Amino acid sequence: MQPIISIRGLSKTYDSGFSALKNIDLEIAPGEIFALLGPNGAGKTTLINVICGIVSPSTGQVMADGHDIVTDFRAARSRIGLVPQELTTDAFETVWATVSFSRGLFGKPKNPAHIEKVLKDLSLWDKRSNMIMTLSGGMKRRVMIAKALSHEPQILFLDEPTAGVDVELRRSMWEVVRSLRAHGVTIILTTHYLEEAEEMADRIGVINQGEIILVENKAELMSKLGEKRLTLQLQDRIDTLPSMLAPHELELAADGDALVYTYNANDKRTGINTLFRDLDAAGIRLRDVDTKQSSLEEIFVGLVRQDT
Ligand SMILES: Nc1ncnc2c1ncn2[C@@H]1O[C@H](COP(=O)(O)OP(=O)(O)OP(=O)(O)O)[C@@H](O)[C@H]1O
Ligand SMILES: [Mg+2]
């Protein structure tokens, strides 16, 4: 399938001489939810701002739905909705006016039914006549999303959409994102909440110091890199590990009632069989066992650390 966004050899060096993006190649498929992860200053916002025409690229090419974002800017931009990281709204406007006005900026004819639907989907309908300055932070963020959707874009960028949003509201925003995707909108989001990427994304890209260091299907990423931890609850506490168990590199829990064994589930030999044999030989009796897959967070921290 033709990618809806295609980025080739994209670099950005700011006027200060700082190189914020280094030779980025990335394709986004229509209808996917792509999460871009990376530490502060990695280049996430710069990348989004280049695609949305706010920051000019230094080298490389970006196509949005077949339109070059530099030479065919208006056509490219009309396909894109952007919810920026920084909240900027006209404090003295009403919700309805500001969202309707945004649509007009893209030269689209008025469509009150669409604006109504967007406001209802974002639970802002009751607030439509309120001035923006009277809304809470989370509501303002939803107004930003409503503005970004006002001109019916096929591609939506959400730059940290749920920063500072409470858990309940975050979940309801995930619902909104999912329903947008169900209507065929392609979504690219950045987040610091790994839980969010884990929950939402089809694919995950990790960016660090201006370079994309990994792009992977979420499920594959989690199983490929995922370490597992096997926790063995002991029948009887122990103070020290029997020396014959040393080769297994077990961790003894602080209160001596559990052992933790870390392994990679994809290895041909996980060492679990010999571990159990040696535990038995050492006379250690188990009360319970439990295994846990690494979270995306652990994987991510490991990746970024390796890279620096
Ligand atoms: N206008 C600018 N001029 C010079 N340097 C800039 C400019 N804008 C951003 N940078 C630098 O580019 C780098 C990437 O910034 P960017 O905002 O893209 O990071 P980010 O990944 O979005 O970070 P965060 O998670 O904090 O939002 C940072 O080192 C930043 O200081
Ligand atoms: Mg940012």
Side-chain angles (χ1 to χ4, degrees):
M1 207 188 288
Q2 276 282 97
I4 194 155
I5 290 184
S6 146
I7 302 170
R8 293 264 153 74
L10 176 67
S11 299
K12 173 65 189 178
T13 304
Y14 282 109
D15 293 342
S16 63
F18 184 80
S19 167
L21 296 176
K22 299 164 189 159
N23 200 23
I24 305 276
D25 291 308
L26 182 65
E27 290 189 341
I28 307 290
E32 74 172 326
I33 299 181
F34 185 88
L36 191 59
L37 295 174
N40 285 131
K44 302 178 297 295
T45 299
T46 302
L47 179 59
I48 288 182
N49 285 350
V50 169
I51 301 170
C52 297
I54 295 166
V55 166
S56 61
S58 303
T59 64
Q61 192 185 41
V62 181
M63 306 286 282
D65 197 26
H67 300 276
D68 187 297
I69 54 114
V70 177
T71 59
D72 198 5
F73 172 69
R74 285 183 70 86
R77 187 64 180 84
S78 73
R79 267 105 181 141
I80 296 173
L82 167 65
V83 181
Q85 184 169 10
E86 304 294 335
L87 295 175
T88 48
T89 42
D90 345 61
F92 299 103
E93 287 283 8
T94 65
V95 171
W96 178 271
T98 197
V99 175
S100 304
F101 179 73
S102 282
R103 181 179 171 91
L105 289 178
F106 289 91
K108 293 248 172 166
K110 284 199 165 69
N111 185 347
H114 174 68
I115 306 291
E116 178 174 340
K117 182 176 184 309
V118 166
L119 293 182
K120 284 184 172 164
D121 286 349
L122 289 161
S123 311
L124 286 169
W125 185 241
D126 294 347
K127 304 283 177 189
R128 64 189 178 280
S129 305
N130 289 42
M131 259 195 278
I132 309 272
M133 60 183 283
T134 68
L135 302 180
S136 75
M139 290 171 194
K140 284 182 189 143
R141 204 163 274 281
R142 279 179 285 158
V143 171
M144 300 294 290
I145 299 178
K147 281 176 72 173
L149 293 173
S150 64
H151 63 288
E152 298 163 76
Q154 293 153 261
I155 308 163
L156 182 65
F157 285 93
L158 296 160
D159 197 356
E160 316 240 351
T162 57
V165 165
D166 72 35
V167 178
E168 198 183 332
L169 188 54
R170 192 176 304 159
R171 293 198 176 276
S172 82
M173 286 175 56
W174 293 349
E175 283 310 310
V176 170
V177 169
R178 282 201 192 92
S179 89
L180 286 169
R181 197 261 294 270
H183 288 94
V185 178
T186 304
I187 291 146
I188 296 106
L189 59 93
T190 72
T191 180
H192 285 141
Y193 299 108
L194 290 131
E195 179 205 359
E196 189 156 274
E198 211 163 327
E199 171 84 26
M200 300 286 304
D202 301 310
R203 278 198 309 153
I204 291 176
V206 177
I207 181 169
N208 193 33
Q209 299 182 353
E211 289 177 85
I212 301 248
I213 55 176
L214 175 128
V215 176
E216 189 90 64
N217 188 293
K218 177 185 64 185
E220 277 165 31
L221 175 63
M222 296 190 62
S223 71
K224 198 187 220 168
L225 298 173
E227 284 191 329
K228 286 186 101 172
R229 287 160 68 81
L230 168 65
T231 303
L232 307 159
Q233 297 290 340
L234 307 181
Q235 198 78 263
D236 305 297
R237 281 167 201 275
I238 55 173
D239 298 327
T240 50
L241 267 176
S243 59
M244 66 180 293
L245 292 176
H248 295 290
E249 298 180 23
L250 295 164
E251 277 170 62
L252 178 62
D255 44 8
D257 65 352
L259 294 170
V260 178
Y261 178 64
T262 307
Y263 64 101
N264 194 312
N266 301 305
D267 286 351
K268 258 207 153 98
R269 291 172 177 278
T270 57
I272 292 174
N273 289 307
T274 39
L275 172 65
F276 275 95
R277 196 192 58 210
D278 292 350
L279 284 167
D280 193 47
I284 292 181
R285 288 159 50 81
L286 305 176
R287 189 163 53 80
D288 200 1
V289 297
D290 173 47
T291 66
K292 188 171 157 286
Q293 184 98 32
S294 296
S295 71
L296 193 55
E297 175 140 17
E298 289 157 325
I299 294 171
F300 172 65
V301 169
L303 261 176
V304 172
R305 198 180 291 139
Q306 267 171 29
D307 199 64
T308 46

